[in-house]
Amino acid sequence: MPSRIALVFCCCALWSCDSSSTVSDPGPLVDNTQWVPSSSDKGEPFYGAPPDDAECELTPIDCPEFPWPEDECVEFEPTSTCIVSFVPECLDSFTVLSVYTRMPDDRFNLCNWITLEQPSLRAIRAGDQVEVRARHSALTAPVPGEAHMTFVIGDEVALDYTVSIPSDFVFPKATWTASKDYPAGTPLFWHVDNHGSNEYMLIEVRIL
């Protein structure tokens, strides 16, 4: 009898170990201070090839705040002269990734097509739900026109948002369910394209 009890305890222990190995680790999937420009061809299966007039000035212009503090968000003074296409920006308690498309002279694009990437912070398991939260300002140009924001995890699109211009201030959000496992370090891509004077933000991406 004692041996049978011991066997039951061993089986339960083994089952517990196996089940715990499949438990997901909820929390942030991205660090918004770590985005870097990606080669355009990596994203073509998801948002197509860049148009002939695609351009993005990746070096900040007239920007005393640059280089950004390591692993921290940037808080601009109201009088800042900085012109930048993408930046990890302080917003309330969040560090958001801001993408700006405007130049002071609206006849010139600052960034009308950009893809950024970073490796995922944690593993994703099949069945996990990943929430992507974004934002765009009131979109005013060009009219008529369209703007796109796309978030890609490995080889799947987690957020695909298209809006006609003009548009009001909106907080796009999506909850994506993983169809398979993705290890920590899986490439993540954030893409924005629009011709006009507008602002976009990736607020957070997290496993629920």
Side-chain angles (χ1 to χ4, degrees):
M1 185 69 172
S3 61
R4 290 185 180 180
I5 295 174
L7 180 61
V8 170
F9 275 117
C10 288
C11 289
C12 288
L14 288 171
W15 179 83
S16 297
C17 290
D18 285 345
S19 63
S20 65
S21 68
T22 62
V23 172
S24 297
D25 178 23
L29 199 60
V30 305
D31 178 346
N32 277 335
T33 69
Q34 300 302 311
W35 292 101
V36 296
S38 175
S39 59
S40 60
D41 59 334
K42 289 185 179 180
E44 286 188 13
F46 309 105
Y47 27 82
D52 292 340
D53 62 348
E55 59 182 321
C56 191
E57 175 57 62
L58 298 177
T59 303
I61 301 169
D62 194 15
C63 193
E65 294 89 349
F66 188 77
W68 318 132
E70 187 174 358
D71 302 329
E72 295 181 15
C73 60
V74 179
E75 190 161 7
F76 294 107
E77 296 293 335
T79 57
S80 175
T81 57
C82 188
I83 301 169
V84 60
S85 58
F86 74 97
V87 58
E89 195 165 358
C90 303
L91 180 67
D92 299 327
S93 60
F94 290 93
T95 297
V96 302
L97 172 67
S98 295
V99 174
Y100 294 94
T101 62
R102 62 178 176 267
M103 282 285 198
D105 186 334
D106 286 345
R107 293 174 298 176
F108 300 96
N109 287 312
L110 172 62
C111 187
N112 60 22
W113 183 282
I114 187 170
T115 304
L116 302 167
E117 71 173 293
Q118 68 170 277
S120 62
L121 297 179
R122 21 172 63 78
I124 302 170
R125 302 192 187 278
D128 280 354
Q129 290 190 312
V130 176
E131 183 180 66
V132 183
R133 296 176 57 211
R135 192 210 84 166
H136 65 70
S137 61
L139 305 180
T140 59
V143 178
E146 279 189 342
H148 307 95
M149 294 190 290
T150 307
F151 190 87
V152 176
I153 298 173
D155 56 358
E156 294 190 55
V157 175
L159 171 71
D160 188 16
Y161 175 81
T162 300
V163 61
S164 298
I165 300 172
S167 171
D168 293 332
F169 190 109
V170 175
F171 283 88
K173 183 173 75 169
T175 302
W176 170 81
T177 301
S179 62
K180 60 184 180 181
D181 293 351
Y182 291 91
T186 293
L188 306 175
F189 300 93
W190 175 241
H191 174 80
V192 173
D193 65 84
N194 161 242
H195 295 54
S197 300
N198 303 307
E199 176 189 356
Y200 306 83
M201 287 184 181
L202 179 64
I203 299 173
E204 64 175 346
V205 183
R206 60 189 300 110
I207 300 176
L208 300 178

